Amino acid sequence: MTESSGKSKSLHASIGTLAISAGSFLLAINYYSWTTATTVIPSTALGILLLIVAAILAYVGIRKCRTNASLCVLFYWTVSALWFSSGINFILAGNNVFSNTNQNTVSTLSGTNFPLAGNPDMTNANVPGLIAFAVGLFIIGIMGILQNETPLALMAIALSLSSIHETVLLYKVNFGASAIACNYLIVTLIGLYFVAGRVVSILSKGQFNLPGTSLTEKADQEQGTMKGLSRIEFEATYLLLNMVSSSVFACRLLGITNSLFVGQVPWLWTAAVFQTAICILSYRYYNMLDATTVAFFSILRFAEGYSLLYQFFNTGEPNFPLPFLIVFVVLFFILSLFTSLKSLIDSGYLLLFVAYCIALACSPQAFFHGGSQGVNVAIFLFSAILLLIKLYNSKSSAKICIGEGIIEKLFARNSFFKLRQGKSIHEPFLGFSKYADADVLAHACSVLAAFAMTMPGTSSTPLLTVVLPWVVVAGGIYHLICGSVAFSRGKTLESSAFILYGVMWVIWGLTRYGGLYGTSRGFNTAVGIISFLLFNSFIVFSTLFLTKAWFAYSLTFQLILISFLLDSLNALPQGYDIAITIIFGLVSFYCFLATLFNSVFEGPQIPVGSPFIKISGFSNDKSKCPHVVSTRTSSVRQIAEIMKNGGICGIPTDTVYVLVAACNQPDAVEKAYKTKRQAQDRPMSLWISSLEQLASAKHLFSPLLWDFMQKAWPSSISLVIPRGPWLEVLGAKESSKYIGTPQSIAIRIPDCTVTTHLIDMVGPIAVTSANPSGEADTTHHNQVFAKLGDKVNGVLCDGPSPENIASTVVDCTKIDSGNLGFFRVGIVPKSQVLQIFEEVKNRNTFGYENSAFVGSTDQLDNSADNSNPELYAEIEAKETTDQLQNSDGNSNPQPKAYVNGGFALNEKDLKL
């Protein structure tokens, strides 16, 4: 573990632990004050403080998940969700939303100032969440003991006991609040001990660590797992949150609580918000199936919370759209089938939600019916067991069998179905992204929103129809998320469509089902819809260049917008809107199924149709020009194979992107030369990965030049040296006519790991900038294909170029005379190059002559027209002062082409 990463981990761990200590200290004061005559912290203030601490813990957990400290991240997120929900309930209690929660109320049973104990509403509101978090924190504590996370385990168990004591106190006011205060005080002291240990470790520079506070062993355990796609903290967190939400309904069925009401909404919507965040993080770690699954969970939680919130408005019995629930059954079932490739137990877990949605659809009471509540009992138990198994298997060598990879192995033996492998299934066509593809979720949300809209709203009581969460959350919020993910992947058209549709679903959902849209219709509404129609018309036209499926998807949404317009004008034909939404829903379902199937299976594919209009130079077929990620060895090997077979590729370097060909493939070098439309006076350069490749030709170089190359490389310094027999050693004899000039060649070893790794696989490469002559340099992998089209056989993607400044090009043709010339001063300063040269000169004796080298030098002298060897072209920082001086003092009238010793260079080509 490096010093910087160690400090970062220590900082995040210390902040998270300190936040837990602070929150525990607030709660300890609060509960202890209830045994006295006055309340120190009002409920509203306590709730706000808990929300602040919860936000800090959530942020620290996100930062810690980069280190793969799974149990620590899970602990932070669990406590954050607990205090976030509790904080909201404290705020509601402080504002008298619950009955009989006035701060001046005194419990007569215990003689203490405990306004919340014995209150039925507070009991019904808090008990379901406290029970679920008590179980979850206890499991985390047990795993902490097994994994030698002593401070974490002690704090988790203490918080679990606090939750249990709080639950008992809500039923038995004579239990006393001091026991809860003691538990929170223990958590506070343990946290302070851990933070003190980290401070001591930092001050002693790691020489002294308090027992249980060292991060070194934890860091060693994390090595080798940080790049994995399976994130146990994500799975464990959404399982625990499912326990919380299912506990709300299970407790009602089992008689633990007396009613379902607004006080339980914070638990449900906290679970929904956290699961939405986990969905985004799952996309960030290339786990598309988990992201889609968690999004479905989140949508259910929003709907559950809304169904309880309606009672706060006293509007009567809610209506639940049956078509939507049936559609959700189908979507969950399909997702469970594909999840079976991951593990059988995860697939079985999703089948519980299939049963849950069926139970919801079977009764008009939906969430308030005993059948669906009974399924929640099973979900709670299964979630707790699965949480324990997942955490145990994440670190234990003896794992509990969960059927992982069994179905995948069966498909691997099948010759008909071919599974996609690795992270490459999520790579976009033009380069890589930090997120997996979210098109599957976007199409699924379109299905949910469309079929929910088939339920007509009632203008007198619009909130009674439980459609708002399906349309606004699924159709709106998640479309916006998917659009943002698509934009990050460079899918401009798809992201524009998803964002536009998301905005429309939010506006129309709130208007039609939120009470904002009555019997009156207005001109303003029609104008707004016409604006959306115009925007979507452009998207429909653009999809002609994408796929037929996308064209049908955008066109049917255009028909939905037309139905909205007709409705705003009071001219909507009866049944038109329902028919159109069903058609759109079916098209969206086909896109969902095709995208999901094609992302998992490489063959066969569900057809989505070729574009109606094909643009020259662009194709969605990756096989024509693969764009692969530079961070994986397999990707570099793929590019190397293309080059070995005579292909030319765009690759990243320590400066800008370049176009390369293997020197031992003369046809490829010629192709690269012509693809770039290379000018005759702008030759290609030669790159190697190590001087070892020239070791057999070392005798052909002067000791001074050899030592200078050894000292200067690897770097962004290109050295122009005379031609000679050494080219044959590199296998570049046949392709040398396209590299350099007849007298000299620019050569260097780049200071870029991926580039040198590629050269090790291919051999020396001929290099030129990845742009047509006369155009700007290529500074991003997306620009390579955009500028050079399908003439490029592959692109190695590494995002933006690390530098936009060109390399420094040094003239070494007269190095034996003790002089260097500069064709251009680029990223490496002239003073640094001269300093290196002086160090090398001081270690060498002059006068050594090599026949091949001297002969080449004489050629250069003859071609220079008696130019002064002391005068070499220098390109300074300002282009307006760029000149070459001949021996007669006349200036070169061409400021961007520099000639020295017969070697002509162009400024843009020297940026290599």
Side-chain angles (χ1 to χ4, degrees):
M1 182 174 64
T2 63
E3 183 178 356
S4 60
S5 63
K7 289 183 179 179
S8 176
K9 292 179 182 179
S10 179
L11 177 64
H12 295 148
S14 300
I15 292 176
T17 306
L18 195 60
I20 293 176
S21 297
S24 299
F25 186 67
L26 290 172
L27 290 170
I29 294 175
N30 180 67
Y31 281 102
Y32 183 75
S33 67
W34 286 346
T35 63
T36 62
T38 59
T39 300
V40 178
I41 307 177
S43 294
T44 302
L46 178 61
I48 293 174
L49 292 173
L50 285 178
L51 291 180
I52 295 173
V53 174
I56 294 174
L57 283 172
Y59 173 76
V60 173
I62 292 174
R63 296 302 299 265
K64 284 285 289 181
C65 73
R66 300 179 181 181
T67 64
N68 204 35
S70 56
L71 195 64
C72 185
V73 173
L74 174 61
F75 179 54
Y76 289 158
W77 284 344
T78 301
V79 178
S80 175
L82 170 61
W83 287 349
F84 194 88
S85 304
S86 299
I88 295 176
N89 274 340
F90 274 117
I91 294 174
L92 294 177
N95 289 274
N96 300 324
V97 174
F98 304 144
S99 61
N100 300 322
T101 55
N102 191 293
Q103 290 287 341
N104 297 322
T105 303
V106 178
S107 174
T108 57
L109 293 175
S110 59
T112 62
N113 181 30
F114 189 34
L116 306 183
N119 185 304
D121 279 356
M122 283 303 299
T123 301
N124 292 329
N126 286 309
V127 166
L130 291 174
I131 290 175
F133 278 110
V135 175
L137 286 167
F138 183 76
I139 292 175
I140 294 173
I142 296 300
M143 291 299 105
I145 294 174
L146 295 177
Q147 297 178 20
N148 296 322
E149 299 273 3
T150 307
L152 184 150
L154 294 176
M155 286 192 291
I157 292 175
L159 287 173
S160 176
L161 292 176
S162 299
S163 299
I164 295 173
H165 288 161
E166 287 182 57
T167 302
V168 175
L169 184 61
L170 289 170
Y171 288 101
K172 302 290 183 181
V173 293
N174 56 357
F175 180 77
S178 58
I180 304 174
C182 288
N183 285 327
Y184 282 121
L185 188 59
I186 291 173
V187 176
T188 302
L189 294 176
I190 295 173
L192 292 176
Y193 169 80
F194 179 83
V195 173
R198 297 312 311 148
V199 171
V200 170
S201 177
I202 292 174
L203 294 178
S204 64
K205 296 183 178 180
Q207 298 299 318
F208 181 76
N209 292 291
L210 295 179
T213 63
S214 175
L215 297 179
T216 305
E217 294 181 0
K218 301 182 183 68
D220 293 339
Q221 294 172 1
E222 293 165 9
Q223 296 298 323
T225 60
M226 292 178 61
K227 297 297 183 181
L229 302 182
S230 179
R231 307 293 298 191
I232 183 61
E233 61 268 38
F234 298 164
E235 296 181 84
T237 302
Y238 75 66
L239 287 172
L240 195 147
L241 294 172
N242 283 342
M243 290 171 55
V244 175
S245 55
S246 61
S247 176
V248 171
F249 299 97
C251 287
R252 177 67 188 91
L253 178 69
L254 298 176
I256 299 175
T257 57
N258 298 324
S259 63
L260 297 172
F261 77 120
V262 67
Q264 294 146 353
V265 174
W267 303 110
L268 296 172
W269 280 7
T270 295
V273 170
F274 273 71
Q275 286 176 337
T276 300
I278 293 173
C279 169
I280 297 173
L281 289 172
S282 297
Y283 280 124
R284 176 64 180 83
Y285 287 91
Y286 296 93
N287 202 325
M288 179 268 294
L289 277 177
D290 274 4
T292 308
T293 302
V294 179
F296 283 4
F297 292 156
S298 175
I299 294 170
L300 268 179
R301 304 310 164 215
F302 278 115
E304 291 169 347
Y306 181 83
S307 67
L308 301 187
L309 186 63
Y310 90 97
Q311 297 183 74
F312 184 74
F313 301 98
N314 297 318
T315 54
E317 290 293 328
N319 299 317
F320 296 90
L322 181 62
F324 161 79
L325 296 172
I326 297 298
V327 168
F328 220 171
V329 169
V330 176
L331 293 179
F332 261 121
F333 181 73
I334 292 174
L335 201 59
S336 69
L337 292 179
F338 283 91
T339 306
S340 64
L341 296 170
K342 176 184 175 183
S343 73
L344 292 177
I345 196 170
D346 288 319
S347 178
Y349 183 67
L350 288 183
L351 289 178
L352 284 177
F353 286 88
V354 173
Y356 182 42
C357 291
I358 292 175
L360 293 174
C362 289
S363 172
Q365 293 179 303
F367 301 112
F368 300 91
H369 188 260
S372 62
Q373 294 171 2
V375 179
N376 271 297
V377 176
I379 291 175
F380 180 90
L381 295 175
F382 206 129
S383 298
I385 295 172
L386 194 55
L387 173 64
L388 183 62
I389 293 174
K390 293 272 188 180
L391 290 176
Y392 178 80
N393 286 352
S394 65
K395 297 295 182 180
S396 175
S397 57
K399 300 184 184 299
I400 300 174
C401 180
I402 58 174
E404 189 172 7
I406 293 178
I407 303 299
E408 185 176 2
K409 291 178 181 177
L410 292 178
F411 275 106
R413 297 174 182 175
N414 190 298
S415 59
F416 183 72
F417 292 98
K418 184 179 180 182
L419 290 171
R420 295 186 185 272
Q421 299 294 330
K423 202 164 58 175
S424 60
I425 65 175
H426 305 298
E427 294 167 9
F429 177 60
L430 290 180
F432 73 89
S433 169
K434 293 182 178 179
Y435 296 87
D437 203 335
D439 288 13
V440 172
L441 177 58
H443 292 308
C445 289
S446 294
V447 177
L448 296 176
F451 281 97
M453 288 285 284
T454 59
M455 185 72 175
T458 304
S459 58
S460 58
T461 55
L463 296 177
L464 281 180
T465 304
V466 188
V467 173
L468 199 61
W470 314 125
V471 178
V472 174
V473 176
I477 295 175
Y478 270 103
H479 258 102
L480 296 176
I481 293 174
C482 294
S484 301
V485 172
F487 182 80
S488 74
R489 293 172 58 78
K491 304 172 74 171
T492 308
L493 176 59
E494 293 91 328
S495 66
S496 300
F498 291 149
I499 292 174
L500 178 68
Y501 298 171
V503 172
M504 190 63 210
W505 284 124
V506 170
I507 293 175
W508 191 252
L510 292 175
T511 301
R512 185 173 182 178
Y513 299 102
L516 304 178
Y517 195 42
T519 56
S520 61
R521 303 292 189 264
F523 174 75
N524 295 334
T525 304
V527 171
I529 297 175
I530 290 173
S531 300
F532 277 97
L533 278 167
L534 293 176
F535 283 125
N536 194 55
S537 297
F538 175 75
I539 291 177
V540 173
F541 173 76
S542 300
T543 55
L544 292 172
F545 305 92
L546 199 57
T547 63
K548 290 183 175 66
W550 255 99
F551 175 76
Y553 177 70
S554 60
L555 182 61
T556 50
F557 191 82
Q558 186 82 337
L559 298 178
I560 287 182
L561 291 176
I562 293 174
S563 73
F564 294 164
L565 177 61
L566 294 175
D567 185 55
S568 66
L569 298 175
N570 282 320
L572 180 66
Q574 185 177 4
Y576 173 80
D577 56 339
I578 296 178
I580 290 302
T581 51
I582 291 176
I583 294 174
F584 175 74
L586 293 175
V587 173
S588 300
F589 178 77
Y590 182 85
C591 292
F592 160 76
L593 187 61
T595 307
L596 178 59
F597 188 89
N598 296 343
S599 65
V600 174
F601 292 96
E602 188 173 348
Q605 297 268 291
I606 295 179
V608 293
S610 58
F612 288 99
I613 304 174
K614 294 184 179 180
I615 302 177
S616 177
F618 178 80
S619 171
N620 279 325
D621 188 0
K622 286 189 178 183
S623 62
K624 293 184 178 180
C625 181
H627 286 64
V628 294
V629 181
S630 64
T631 54
R632 301 211 314 271
T633 302
S634 59
S635 299
V636 181
R637 185 177 295 114
Q638 183 177 352
I639 295 295
E641 289 300 321
I642 293 174
M643 294 177 64
K644 289 178 181 178
N645 293 326
I648 59 174
C649 300
I651 66 170
T653 68
D654 46 354
T655 54
V656 296
Y657 278 80
V658 296
L659 187 64
V660 298
C663 286
N664 57 11
Q665 298 289 332
D667 293 338
V669 176
E670 181 182 3
K671 180 182 177 183
Y673 186 87
K674 294 180 178 179
T675 295
K676 190 185 181 290
R677 300 195 296 271
Q678 194 84 7
Q680 294 296 324
D681 58 344
R682 299 172 186 177
M684 302 177 73
S685 60
L686 179 67
W687 286 10
I688 58 177
S689 60
S690 171
L691 275 179
E692 293 297 321
Q693 292 175 307
L694 286 172
S696 59
K698 181 178 179 180
H699 64 283
L700 300 177
F701 298 90
S702 69
L704 181 60
L705 177 58
W706 185 268
D707 290 347
F708 183 56
M709 291 190 297
Q710 198 169 36
K711 182 73 173 178
W713 293 334
S715 68
S716 299
I717 302 176
S718 295
L719 303 182
V720 179
I721 64 175
R723 279 181 175 269
W726 56 270
L727 277 171
E728 299 181 10
V729 175
L730 300 178
K733 183 177 180 180
E734 297 297 327
S735 56
S736 61
K737 61 181 178 179
Y738 298 106
I739 305 173
T741 68
Q743 294 81 28
S744 55
I745 288 180
I747 184 173
R748 81 174 173 107
I749 300 176
D751 191 13
C752 179
T753 303
V754 64
T755 309
T756 54
H757 186 38
L758 177 64
I759 298 173
D760 285 336
M761 294 181 177
V762 177
I765 57 176
V767 181
T768 184
S769 57
N771 56 274
S773 297
E775 294 188 10
D777 292 308
T778 302
T779 57
H780 195 278
H781 57 252
N782 285 352
Q783 300 173 4
V784 177
F785 189 83
K787 290 182 177 182
L788 301 177
D790 53 9
K791 296 178 181 179
V792 182
N793 301 113
V795 179
L796 193 59
C797 306
D798 197 40
S801 298
E803 301 288 347
N804 291 328
I805 306 175
S807 63
T808 298
V809 183
V810 182
D811 182 4
C812 297
T813 56
K814 300 180 183 297
I815 192 172
D816 279 354
S817 64
N819 297 308
L820 289 181
F822 289 83
F823 288 109
R824 181 190 48 226
V825 178
I827 187 173
V828 181
K830 176 181 177 180
S831 58
Q832 182 177 337
V833 177
L834 293 177
Q835 182 181 357
I836 296 172
F837 183 56
E838 288 299 324
E839 292 177 3
V840 173
K841 272 203 310 185
N842 292 336
R843 294 200 306 264
N844 283 270
T845 58
F846 300 101
Y848 172 84
E849 290 188 358
N850 179 282
S851 58
F853 188 79
V854 172
S856 299
T857 305
D858 292 340
Q859 266 189 331
L860 290 171
D861 290 338
N862 294 333
S863 63
D865 295 331
N866 299 322
S867 60
N868 188 344
E870 298 294 329
L871 282 176
Y872 292 92
E874 292 189 14
I875 298 178
E876 301 299 334
K878 297 180 180 179
E879 291 185 357
T880 56
T881 61
D882 291 341
Q883 291 181 342
L884 285 177
Q885 298 295 334
N886 294 327
S887 58
D888 58 1
N890 294 328
S891 299
N892 192 326
Q894 298 178 355
K896 296 209 172 186
Y898 307 92
V899 181
N900 183 24
F903 181 71
L905 294 172
N906 177 270
E907 181 177 357
K908 289 188 177 295
D909 291 281
L910 290 176
K911 289 188 178 182
L912 302 179

